[in-house]
Amino acid sequence: MKKVISFPNFGNYHIPLKVFLSKITNYKVITAPKNTKKTLDIGSKYSPDYVCLPFKYTLGNYIESLDLGANILIQAGGGCRYGFYGEVQEVILKDLGYDFKFINLMENGSFSLMKFYRSAKEVNPKLKFIKFMYYVLVTLLSMMFMDNLDKFIRKNLKYEIHKGSILKIKDRFLSFLPNNFSVIKIIRHYLRNKRDIKLCLDKSIDTSNTLKIGLLGELFSLIEHSSSYNIEEYLMSKNIEVRRYTDMTYLIVKKKFNERKILNDSKKFSKFKLGADSSDNICHAIELAKEGFDGIIHMKPFSCSPEINTVPILQKVSEEYDIPVLFLTFDSQYANEAIKTRIEAFIDMLIMRKERLKDEEKVLSRS
Amino acid sequence: MKVGIPRGLHFHKYKILWTAFLDYLEVDYIVSTKTNKQILNRGKKYSTDETCIPCKIYLGHIDYLKDKCDYILVPRFLGEDKLKLECIKFNSIYDVVSNTFPNIKLLEYNIDYTKRKKEKDEFIKLGSMLGYKAKDSLQAYYYAKSEEEKYTKNMFKKQELKLKIINKKKVLILSHPYNIFDNMIGKPIIDILNRYNVEVIYSTYYNSNKDNSKKYSETLYWLSSKDIINALDYYKNRVDGIIILNAFPCGNDALVNVLITNKVDIPIVNIVVDEVNSETGLITRLESFIDIIEKRSELLEESY
């Protein structure tokens, strides 16, 4: 039987991951179809009732790619409940009568690279360790470059001269990423695209009136935009500067080094580490408030316990630092317009607030 | 000085340890009343809409205690091992309480495997916060530990006696201690079962030193869920039916249930307790469940 590998959707990271998996295994790799309402419907049909939303999306992804002919599935979630997803999903899919091999990269509650190597070796006995590590390095590099480029775009989109030009360059960057899958090529590819983006910017544009909004919350709804109604794209299309901390680079690399700083910064509001990304979110909320951001949008899927615990503390941060926070919860119901109305109202409120603050400043400076 | 102990979450697991520790040190303490509607409503007022009911009840108890004592005991649990973690709610309950009630003083101890400190050390710290020397608190801790052991042994013996009764149906309740022993969550169900002359077995008390949860799940890392699975493994051949009791919306239990229900071949019912609960609905479901059990045992006897 021909072997076909598949894995769930997670932002744009399927692009480097697909190349990576096909390089180390020599099998065909297919990405799951893009998340749609159908994915969610299938996923929630077969999941337990009140499990968190990412479970439903990933289960839907698996079923859709199994229907497309995949027979090796990969799960690599870790932390909070993600680490336990794999086993339950395997049981559910086996009960549905699918025939497949499930590779769970979690070992003893955390991601294990050696286990990954061992299971890759099982699939492809010719694989050498050095080659494997090289491709891991390239994948990590390309993920970091993707994140860096995204960060740069989010920060500088307000200086864009012709609307839509930067996003076109980003699309080009992503679509040619698979062709540049080596250390030197990927660096060159990144630098070239970044230079192109810089050429599209005009730093002299007056941006004193653009709003600045920070996005905080649970990682899946922040990275996989389809699960959070594409809020980030919507804000960016409204010419708002968006700051988002959570991305793959942050989760894999930065978070481990930041631990002590985060505990220190959030000490005023929390004595202990709160679990998952909660402490990080509080620390980042304080940072956003200090940097003069206009508002924060906090997103979480329904029944996400670490973020539910964050809510009372964030409310206090909002009170103390005088920064408005909008709390959004996403569930398996599809309510695009309702969410949009709430965000529009939030943006209008922020604009009015900004004008009021400006007027007050003027009055103060006159007197 | 008076210490308040809220009757919620881990109280039901550690009640003997805490009260015996304070008794030995002769500290005055007060345990909040059993959960009632008023306490639930108070908790609802202070908590986020989406938290689980046990947490809402816990905040209600804190609100009840806040002007009745000087300090409130709110420990924080991460887990004693990487593979024996507590639910993520327990990681942050201390900070949630301290942020929702800024004006009260809290007593804490912290079970955290990353800090490399044992329960003993944390109780010495707790004792020093109350103004006692390390020696006294250590003695109190060992006394409390032995009392706790005695209590659980006693409860386990009682349970074994219950299992030996022949002409009564036995039902195992699978849940966390803070669900089973709560007055609003588990008590109504136990009352109904007793009314129908069914013997209730709690999953909290079982006797096995071996961790059998690997048979059911390889990657499970929650201590409380492991306890449930071990109890299931211990009792499953000696009871007539199983009730899985969940509080809404517990995601951990939702995941674990999938693994349990597949591997057991006796009648099993999943009851989810919400904050709006009607007794009539509960009675209907439990009644039909008991009917199923009785019918099944009749059929089994006939087939002999």
Side-chain angles (χ1 to χ4, degrees):
Chain A
M1 195 171 61
K2 219 175 137 200
K3 299 245 164 92
V4 183
I5 302 176
S6 184
F7 54 91
N9 282 331
F10 194 50
N12 284 327
Y13 299 113
H14 62 85
I15 299 166
L17 280 177
K18 187 181 174 184
V19 190
F20 171 65
L21 288 173
S22 64
K23 290 253 187 206
I24 62 164
T25 58
N26 292 329
Y27 289 136
K28 194 182 163 197
V29 181
I30 54 169
T31 50
K34 275 204 167 154
N35 286 355
T36 52
K37 193 173 176 293
K38 198 184 140 212
T39 319
L40 185 56
D41 283 346
I42 297 174
S44 41
K45 190 176 167 191
Y46 298 115
S47 348
D49 280 342
Y50 33 91
V51 75
C52 22
L53 197 58
F55 186 94
K56 295 175 181 171
Y57 269 111
T58 41
L59 191 70
N61 284 152
Y62 282 139
I63 291 175
E64 282 188 327
S65 36
L66 282 170
D67 288 341
L68 285 177
N71 45 30
I72 297 179
L73 301 178
I74 295 178
Q75 171 67 277
C80 193
R81 284 173 204 155
Y82 284 116
F84 194 51
Y85 277 10
E87 199 183 342
V88 180
Q89 280 170 336
E90 190 182 352
V91 168
I92 291 175
L93 290 174
K94 287 255 157 83
D95 277 354
L96 288 175
Y98 288 106
D99 181 29
F100 62 93
K101 190 177 176 219
F102 198 87
I103 298 177
N104 193 352
L105 300 178
M106 304 305 296
E107 200 171 48
N108 292 343
S110 58
F111 180 79
S112 134
L113 203 63
M114 280 317 288
K115 195 180 177 192
F116 196 4
Y117 174 66
R118 262 180 272 133
S119 33
K121 187 101 179 164
E122 237 170 66
V123 179
N124 175 17
K126 280 180 197 162
L127 183 71
K128 286 199 179 84
F129 187 67
I130 299 215
K131 195 180 162 195
F132 174 77
M133 284 314 285
Y134 173 73
Y135 282 123
V136 168
L137 178 73
V138 180
T139 318
L140 280 180
L141 265 182
S142 41
M143 281 179 179
M144 274 161 84
F145 286 144
M146 280 166 68
D147 290 340
N148 273 353
L149 203 74
D150 265 356
K151 222 174 225 174
F152 185 75
I153 292 173
R154 283 198 292 267
K155 199 172 177 191
N156 290 304
L157 198 70
K158 52 184 178 179
Y159 298 118
E160 190 183 31
I161 303 167
H162 299 294
K163 274 230 150 151
S165 50
I166 288 182
L167 290 180
K168 244 179 215 165
I169 296 173
K170 189 189 156 191
D171 283 348
R172 198 185 67 192
F173 173 76
L174 289 178
S175 58
F176 283 100
L177 198 75
N179 303 354
N180 295 299
F181 209 70
S182 78
V183 172
I184 299 165
K185 272 186 185 170
I186 195 95
I187 295 174
R188 206 188 291 154
H189 184 57
Y190 165 70
L191 290 175
R192 202 180 291 149
N193 281 290
K194 195 169 177 185
R195 187 199 60 208
D196 285 358
I197 291 178
K198 273 184 185 162
L199 290 177
C200 293
L201 302 175
D202 179 7
K203 289 267 181 180
S204 60
I205 292 175
D206 175 37
T207 57
S208 59
N209 277 330
T210 42
L211 289 177
K212 292 199 272 184
I213 292 181
L215 294 183
L216 300 177
E218 192 265 349
L219 62 105
F220 190 85
S221 32
L222 285 171
I223 294 177
E224 177 57 47
H225 294 168
S226 59
S227 77
S228 54
Y229 304 94
N230 295 318
I231 286 176
E232 193 178 312
E233 277 87 358
Y234 179 74
L235 291 176
M236 273 153 79
S237 73
K238 291 265 175 190
N239 205 21
I240 293 170
E241 187 188 328
V242 179
R243 165 97 51 101
R244 157 158 74 86
Y245 293 91
T246 316
D247 50 25
M248 216 55 170
T249 326
Y250 182 79
L251 293 173
I252 294 178
V253 187
K254 275 191 197 160
K255 200 179 162 181
K256 289 209 172 86
F257 296 106
N258 267 7
E259 227 163 53
R260 186 166 288 173
K261 180 182 169 278
I262 278 165
L263 259 183
N264 222 11
D265 287 3
S266 56
K267 205 168 227 169
K268 193 175 167 191
F269 297 95
S270 63
K271 193 168 177 181
F272 300 110
K273 209 168 162 281
L274 300 180
D277 292 338
S278 307
S279 297
D280 310 49
N281 280 333
I282 289 157
C283 165
H284 291 151
I286 298 171
E287 200 176 312
L288 290 170
K290 278 184 180 162
E291 279 184 36
F293 270 64
D294 298 295
I296 293 173
I297 296 179
H298 179 263
M299 316 200 262
K300 62 175 180 299
F302 177 67
S303 99
C304 172
S305 19
E307 295 308 324
I308 289 171
N309 292 333
T310 326
V311 170
I313 306 174
L314 265 187
Q315 278 167 343
K316 215 157 170 231
V317 173
S318 151
E319 228 171 75
E320 203 130 306
Y321 286 94
D322 195 23
I323 181 166
V325 184
L326 175 68
F327 295 101
L328 291 179
T329 306
F330 307 115
D331 198 7
S332 47
Q333 279 145 355
Y334 214 74
N336 208 351
E337 294 309 311
I339 297 278
K340 216 170 236 175
T341 317
R342 290 183 66 188
I343 289 181
E344 262 167 27
F346 186 64
I347 294 172
D348 286 345
M349 190 207 84
L350 289 184
I351 292 173
M352 286 192 282
R353 185 170 172 273
K354 197 165 189 175
E355 276 168 9
R356 200 195 69 217
L357 288 177
K358 254 186 198 168
D359 289 345
E360 277 171 13
E361 247 172 51
K362 264 183 204 165
V363 172
L364 276 176
S365 62
R366 238 178 260 156
S367 64
Chain B
M1 191 174 58
K2 208 170 189 183
V3 176
I5 302 179
R7 197 186 283 270
L9 295 184
H10 268 344
F11 170 79
H12 300 290
K13 193 174 172 186
Y14 294 115
K15 56 182 171 190
I16 302 298
L17 186 67
W18 292 347
T19 48
F21 180 77
L22 295 176
D23 273 337
Y24 190 89
L25 291 177
E26 290 172 353
V27 177
D28 198 11
Y29 66 86
I30 169 178
V31 180
S32 55
T33 54
K34 285 184 177 166
T35 317
N36 49 34
K37 242 192 182 133
Q38 213 183 352
I39 280 183
L40 179 63
N41 284 336
R42 277 170 153 188
K44 267 200 257 179
K45 199 174 108 193
Y46 283 105
S47 47
T48 338
D49 317 338
E50 292 157 44
T51 25
C52 56
I53 309 172
C55 278
K56 284 180 183 169
I57 287 174
Y58 191 73
L59 289 186
H61 281 292
I62 301 245
D63 189 49
Y64 170 87
L65 281 174
K66 71 179 175 194
D67 3 281
K68 293 189 174 62
C69 55
D70 307 307
Y71 288 95
I72 297 180
L73 180 67
V74 181
R76 182 235 186 200
F77 296 89
L78 178 72
E80 48 197 36
D81 190 334
K82 206 177 177 185
L83 292 176
K84 282 181 184 170
L85 296 181
E86 294 282 354
C87 166
I88 212 143
K89 286 261 158 71
F90 295 113
N91 294 3
S92 52
I93 194 73
Y94 177 87
D95 289 305
V96 169
V97 170
S98 71
N99 276 288
T100 357
F101 302 96
N103 297 324
I104 56 172
K105 286 182 207 153
L106 299 180
L107 275 180
E108 40 94 7
Y109 71 92
N110 179 13
I111 304 291
D112 188 341
Y113 71 91
T114 56
K115 294 267 193 294
R116 298 209 180 89
K117 269 190 185 160
K118 291 199 170 135
E119 199 179 39
K120 187 178 74 183
D121 307 321
E122 292 297 325
F123 269 84
I124 292 174
K125 216 175 92 189
L126 181 69
S128 78
M129 262 188 254
L130 292 166
Y132 290 92
K133 281 182 196 153
K135 194 183 148 202
D136 295 338
S137 2
L138 197 63
Q139 278 172 5
Y141 170 72
Y142 283 129
Y143 168 75
K145 225 31 194 178
S146 66
E147 284 291 299
E148 192 188 32
E149 209 171 295
K150 248 188 252 166
Y151 178 78
T152 36
K153 252 188 198 158
N154 199 10
M155 290 306 275
F156 173 68
K157 255 184 208 159
K158 263 188 198 167
Q159 199 130 274
E160 287 286 309
L161 284 180
K162 270 191 204 169
L163 279 168
K164 279 183 188 132
I165 301 171
I166 301 167
N167 47 9
K168 253 181 167 184
K169 293 277 162 284
K170 289 144 228 152
V171 166
L172 172 67
I173 292 200
L174 275 187
S175 190
H176 309 283
Y178 56 81
N179 287 339
I180 299 178
F181 301 116
D182 193 274
N183 210 27
M184 289 286 281
I185 303 175
K187 189 85 189 315
I189 292 171
I190 293 168
D191 282 350
I192 294 167
L193 288 175
N194 283 336
R195 219 184 296 155
Y196 281 91
N197 209 14
V198 172
E199 216 43 85
V200 184
I201 311 291
Y202 307 121
S203 69
T204 321
Y205 307 111
Y206 64 91
N207 181 23
S208 81
N209 303 319
K210 256 199 320 198
D211 185 9
N212 288 324
S213 61
K214 274 264 178 329
K215 265 193 262 173
Y216 293 80
S217 151
E218 278 163 15
T219 55
L220 185 68
Y221 46 79
W222 295 306
L223 176 66
S224 202
S225 303
K226 274 187 179 179
D227 275 346
I228 288 179
I229 290 184
N230 279 330
L232 171 75
D233 195 57
Y234 187 79
Y235 285 118
K236 71 177 173 188
N237 297 325
R238 301 154 73 190
V239 290
D240 303 291
I242 294 173
I243 294 176
I244 300 179
L245 172 63
N246 293 155
F248 181 82
C250 181
N252 297 6
D253 283 354
L255 289 172
V256 174
N257 286 351
V258 176
L259 298 177
I260 295 176
T261 39
N262 280 354
K263 290 176 186 160
V264 178
D265 48 2
I266 49 175
I268 204 163
V269 67
N270 185 5
I271 288 181
V272 181
V273 177
D274 201 347
E275 51 193 69
V276 274
N277 228 347
S278 78
E279 215 198 341
T280 333
L282 260 185
I283 290 174
T284 319
R285 291 196 67 188
L286 290 173
E287 214 172 72
S288 61
F289 182 64
I290 292 163
D291 283 349
I292 288 171
I293 294 174
E294 275 167 0
K295 200 87 207 165
R296 184 172 172 270
S297 62
E298 271 171 33
L299 284 175
L300 280 178
E301 266 169 32
E302 270 173 32
S303 68
Y304 266 119

